[in-house]
Amino acid sequence: MTASDTNVTASPHPGPRTDLVVTDAPSPADIAVISDALDRFNIEHTGITDRTPLAVLVRDPKTHQAVGGLTGRTSLGLFFVDLFYLPPQLRGSGLGREILRRAEDEAHARGCRTAVLYTITFQAPGFYRKQGWKLLGKVPCDPPGTSRVFMTKELTAPTGQPVRPR
């Protein structure tokens, strides 16, 4: 148990005894247990075993260390963009557009038909709109006046034709 764990309590529900722990520091092993179990559940119900990470990394040419890029995953015909960051000095050059295009192309090659993401109103919804992404909805968050912006994009074949379902 980490110093940030709180409220270790027995579950109030009947059945097997469990402990409930609220934490801001789950271990990688804890996250893997949940992720892997959910993946197995999805496979049992769909027969599809295609969950795969996807990243387009921007590396410093001298140190070869990542300085930005995009991370996400593909699963069940969807491409999820999880994180996308470029340092300020690399913005406005077309690099962001190229990173997103490469990620979308890879997702399309993996059989994805649709992409989804969320950004925040002070981050990059305008950038994504310029790349063909459409608004799904907004959810207010802090600070007041700010929203999470959920977006989607239909991934198309290089000829501009929609991707055929697998």
Side-chain angles (χ1 to χ4, degrees):
M1 182 162 70
T2 67
S4 59
D5 291 348
T6 60
N7 299 335
V8 177
T9 60
S11 172
H13 302 286
R17 185 183 185 292
T18 58
D19 291 335
L20 301 179
V21 178
V22 176
T23 181
D24 63 358
S27 73
D30 293 335
I31 294 169
V33 165
I34 297 165
S35 179
D36 294 347
L38 182 58
D39 193 41
R40 284 190 305 277
F41 177 86
N42 290 345
I43 292 166
E44 289 170 9
H45 284 81
T46 66
I48 300 171
T49 59
D50 68 346
R51 182 182 75 159
T52 307
L54 193 159
V56 179
L57 303 175
V58 178
R59 295 192 186 275
D60 180 283
K62 293 178 184 162
T63 66
H64 306 288
Q65 296 296 308
V67 296
L70 178 151
T71 65
R73 65 197 182 286
T74 57
S75 177
L76 302 175
L78 290 175
F79 168 39
F80 298 88
V81 175
D82 293 327
L83 302 170
F84 191 176
Y85 174 79
L86 279 177
Q89 67 273 20
L90 297 178
R91 297 176 193 163
S93 67
L95 182 59
R97 181 176 54 247
E98 179 65 13
I99 291 167
L100 190 57
R101 183 194 64 77
R102 288 188 187 200
E104 290 171 2
D105 287 351
E106 176 61 22
H108 171 261
R110 294 179 185 187
C112 293
R113 298 182 305 275
T114 307
V116 294
L117 63 78
Y118 77 81
T119 185
I120 302 175
T121 50
F122 61 79
Q123 290 178 337
F127 165 77
Y128 292 111
R129 274 192 297 276
K130 289 178 187 175
Q131 312 316 312
W133 289 72
K134 307 281 187 229
L135 177 69
L136 272 175
K138 294 181 179 182
V139 177
C141 63
D142 287 332
T146 302
S147 294
R148 299 272 179 171
V149 180
F150 293 83
M151 304 183 85
T152 188
K153 182 177 183 180
E154 183 176 342
L155 300 178
T156 56
T159 62
Q161 299 300 312
V163 176
R164 301 269 183 244
R166 295 196 284 167

